[in-house]
Amino acid sequence: MGKAYRAIGGLSIHEDYVDLLAAEGLDAFDALMSARGEADLDKPGLDRWRQRLQLAVGGRRLYLKRFDRPPASTRMSLRFHGFKSPAACEWHWLERVRDLGVAAPTPVACGGDKAEDRSLLLIDEVPGTSLEKWLPARGPAADRATRRRISNAVADLAARLHEAGLFHRDFYTAHLFVDESDERGIGLSLIDLQRMIEPRIRSRRWRIKDLSALNYSVCPDQATSTDRVRWFRRYRSIDRLTASDKRTIRDVVAKTRRVERHDVKKRGGEESREEPREEPRMDTDGHG
């Protein structure tokens, strides 16, 4: 897994974290598989074979993902794409996007048993707060320049991924972390890469999926249609929309509506937001 990692105790451990894990007795596969976290991060409805924990290790906050006997369908899908385990899959994508210059969690350790029935991935914390939380908490008070820098950073990150043929498949604001303390300006990190793909065909389908997920997760009162088109122009590095761009935007809006209907159905027909959600839309006249 590269020169920066050392094989220890059934794990591949990032060399910068070897001493840290050893000091806590966590430098072995079995030790991490049995470790107790300071917080259980499992979401309601998460498959039982997956577990996510927050660990305090030597004054640092690390996140542990453990996988215990994934279902046959998951294993078949992983093997079809060349991965032995869910942990190895996300490890690969973390390394891939970081090689592109996209900020993502540092892979600290990864390992699995011989049969790959059980596996784990340990990652470091990324700085900042999720864009999902930043928008309602900081967004209204932020000046236009700050909002524009964040918007541009998200557009540039999406463009870099998509131009490299990579698609996140869960490209929501919850998976983008904003760091306003970054000395270089606005820092932006991408998390939860376990479903990322690099398709050889039908890439447009996955582009629309990523863009509609982001469009849906930014509420109507958090960005105007003009803001969204401006974002799209930045994403495409263009000044004016072409006919193809307008068709893409229409497809994104249509997909966004389907995502919303699915979300409402999944929640039992009740909106979780305080106010009914307006129809998401983008004007396609190229102005703004």
Side-chain angles (χ1 to χ4, degrees), residues 223-255:
T224 66
S225 58
T226 299
D227 292 332
R228 294 168 197 257
V229 172
R230 183 186 295 115
W231 182 93
F232 185 83
R233 294 206 319 264
R234 172 80 180 204
Y235 163 78
R236 289 275 290 113
S237 298
I238 57 175
D239 293 324
R240 295 190 64 83
L241 301 177
T242 65
S244 176
D245 292 320
K246 293 179 181 181
R247 184 169 62 253
T248 295
I249 288 176
R250 288 194 294 270
D251 289 346
V252 168
V253 171
K255 176 65 174 177

Side-chain angles (χ1 to χ4, degrees), residues 192-207:
D192 283 357
L193 310 185
Q194 64 271 11
R195 279 168 37 86
M196 182 167 277
I197 57 172
E198 189 173 8
R200 295 181 180 179
I201 59 174
R202 301 181 68 186
S203 62
R204 187 176 187 277
R205 169 193 176 187
W206 302 111
R207 183 188 302 271

Side-chain angles (χ1 to χ4, degrees), residues 25-37:
L26 296 174
D27 56 344
F29 176 75
D30 289 338
L32 282 174
M33 286 300 292
S34 60
R36 293 186 177 183

Side-chain angles (χ1 to χ4, degrees), residues 26 32 35-42 51-66 121-126 133 177:
L26 296 174
L32 282 174
R36 293 186 177 183
E38 63 175 7
D40 187 333
L41 304 178
D42 286 347
Q51 184 182 32
R52 303 191 303 176
L53 299 172
Q54 178 180 301
L55 305 180
V57 182
R60 304 184 72 152
R61 183 175 294 167
L62 305 181
Y63 294 92
L64 177 62
K65 297 185 178 184
R66 295 194 292 223
L121 174 66
L122 184 65
I123 59 176
D124 204 346
E125 182 179 35
V126 296
K133 294 180 179 178
F177 271 63

Side-chain angles (χ1 to χ4, degrees), residues 31-195:
L32 282 174
M33 286 300 292
S34 60
R36 293 186 177 183
E38 63 175 7
D40 187 333
L41 304 178
D42 286 347
K43 297 179 181 178
L46 189 69
D47 297 323
R48 292 183 179 180
W49 57 271
R50 296 187 292 177
Q51 184 182 32
R52 303 191 303 176
L53 299 172
Q54 178 180 301
L55 305 180
V57 182
R60 304 184 72 152
R61 183 175 294 167
L62 305 181
Y63 294 92
L64 177 62
K65 297 185 178 184
R66 295 194 292 223
F67 308 94
D68 189 355
R69 295 175 178 80
S73 58
T74 298
R75 296 189 191 199
M76 288 179 62
S77 177
L78 287 167
R79 288 170 183 168
F80 177 79
H81 291 96
F83 301 113
K84 293 182 178 180
S85 68
C89 175
E90 186 164 3
W91 179 286
H92 169 82
W93 294 123
L94 285 168
E95 292 284 15
R96 183 81 165 82
V97 301
R98 286 163 61 87
D99 285 345
L100 287 176
V102 173
T106 300
V108 174
C110 183
D113 60 17
K114 291 183 179 180
E116 298 292 345
D117 287 331
R118 300 184 303 153
S119 63
L120 66 84
L121 174 66
L122 184 65
I123 59 176
D124 204 346
E125 182 179 35
V126 296
T129 186
S130 71
L131 185 57
E132 179 184 47
K133 294 180 179 178
W134 188 94
L135 283 169
R138 291 272 297 116
D143 58 60
R144 179 179 295 183
T146 297
R147 291 176 61 87
R148 184 68 61 85
R149 285 196 296 271
I150 291 175
S151 175
N152 288 347
V154 175
D156 294 346
L157 185 153
R160 180 168 293 187
L161 282 182
H162 292 172
E163 287 169 5
L166 302 179
F167 301 92
H168 189 276
R169 296 175 66 201
D170 285 310
F171 199 58
Y172 298 102
T173 52
H175 297 146
L176 292 161
F177 271 63
V178 176
D179 179 18
E180 295 181 84
S181 66
D182 193 306
E183 295 180 354
R184 297 166 295 180
I186 296 294
L188 190 70
S189 301
L190 183 65
I191 69 167
D192 283 357
L193 310 185
Q194 64 271 11
R195 279 168 37 86

